[in-house]
């Protein structure tokens, strides 16, 4: 997976679908396929607790690869924001199925318990479909608890053009630290 998305962060400045985006989707599908294959083999032989921790660690590894690329992107276009959001939603849905193949909601709840990066991954996914006003409101609601101030500032700078609203939000983030 890692080699397929090594240039993903630089491609996020593009306003149109590029090869790196297709590679990122292919890598996600492949990663989930392999984790699902392990899941099928391990579910019957491991205790529920050990299985949950093992799947949580594997999902965290996959999430980490994508989070690293997005968090380090110097610039993210609006089109890329929508792509990242959709890709991250696909990743959380696919991962939830590993924990509970019957109930998506149940799988999401178990994923939150078993994956250390679940909340952070979800927060970044939500961020990608937000305006500056939405982000300000989400901050007050605690949506970004799992994302550090500097990380959130970096995302805001990568996604939004310089403006008074952006400056005010960045100032509010630095004063909270």
């Amino acid at each position: 997976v890692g080699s397929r998305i090594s240039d993903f962060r630089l491609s996020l400045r593009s306003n149109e679908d590029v090869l790196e985006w297709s590679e990122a989707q292919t890598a996600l599908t492949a990663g989930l396929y392999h984790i699902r294959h392990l899941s099928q083999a391990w579910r019957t032989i491991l205790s529920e607790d050990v299985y949950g921790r093992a799947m949580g660690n594997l999902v965290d590894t996959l999430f980490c690869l994508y989070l690293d690329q997005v968090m380090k992107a110097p610039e993210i276009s609006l089109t890329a924001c929508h792509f990242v959001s959709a890709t991250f939603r696909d990743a959380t849905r696919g991962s939830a199925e590993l924990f509970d193949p019957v109930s998506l909601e149940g799988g999401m709840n178990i994923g939150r318990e078993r994956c250390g990066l679940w909340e952070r991954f979800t927060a970044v996914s939500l961020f990608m479909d937000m305006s500056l006003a939405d982000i300000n409101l989400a901050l007050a609601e605690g949506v970004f608890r799992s994302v550090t101030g500097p990380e959130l500032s970096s995302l805001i700078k990568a996604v939004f053009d310089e403006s008074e609203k952006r400056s005010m939000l960045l100032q509010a983030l630095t004063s909270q630290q």
Side-chain angles (χ1 to χ4, degrees):
V1 174
S3 63
R4 285 187 174 231
I5 65 168
S6 60
D7 294 328
F8 183 54
R9 68 184 158 92
L10 298 177
S11 71
L12 293 175
R13 65 177 47 142
S14 178
N15 281 316
E16 56 190 56
D17 196 354
V18 292
L19 175 64
E20 289 83 3
W21 295 6
S22 297
E23 288 289 318
Q25 282 183 315
T26 301
L28 174 63
T29 302
L32 286 172
Y33 170 81
H34 291 295
I35 295 172
R36 195 171 299 114
H37 188 72
L38 289 171
S39 168
Q40 291 168 349
W42 291 353
R43 186 178 288 278
T44 58
I45 59 172
L46 297 175
S47 71
E48 188 176 327
D49 181 57
V50 172
Y51 170 82
R53 284 186 286 145
M55 288 297 109
N57 284 328
L58 291 172
V59 169
D60 273 347
T61 301
L62 187 64
F63 284 1
C64 185
L65 291 170
Y66 283 84
L67 280 170
D68 283 350
Q69 290 294 312
V70 172
M71 299 301 244
K72 292 177 183 172
E75 185 180 340
I76 305 174
S77 72
L78 179 61
T79 307
C81 283
H82 296 306
F83 173 79
V84 169
S85 178
T87 301
F88 279 28
R89 276 193 313 272
D90 290 345
T92 53
R93 279 191 206 109
S95 299
E97 291 172 1
L98 298 168
F99 297 108
D100 188 341
V102 178
S103 165
L104 179 62
E105 185 178 333
M108 293 280 195
N109 291 333
I110 296 168
R112 279 185 200 90
E113 293 171 15
R114 296 297 186 173
C115 300
L117 294 176
W118 192 280
E119 292 297 329
R120 188 168 181 236
F121 197 78
T122 303
V124 172
S125 177
L126 292 171
F127 172 93
M128 292 296 159
D129 283 331
M130 291 183 172
S131 67
L132 287 170
D134 294 334
I135 293 166
N136 206 10
L137 184 61
L139 274 169
E141 294 173 353
V143 171
F144 300 113
R145 270 189 304 263
S146 56
V147 182
T148 67
E151 289 171 332
L152 193 54
S153 293
S154 179
L155 281 174
I156 290 168
K157 289 175 185 174
V159 172
F160 297 99
D161 291 332
E162 179 63 46
S163 69
E164 185 178 331
K165 283 184 179 181
R166 182 182 103 158
S167 296
M168 289 172 51
L169 184 55
L170 290 171
Q171 181 63 34
L173 281 171
T174 54
S175 67
Q176 288 177 355
Q177 294 174 12

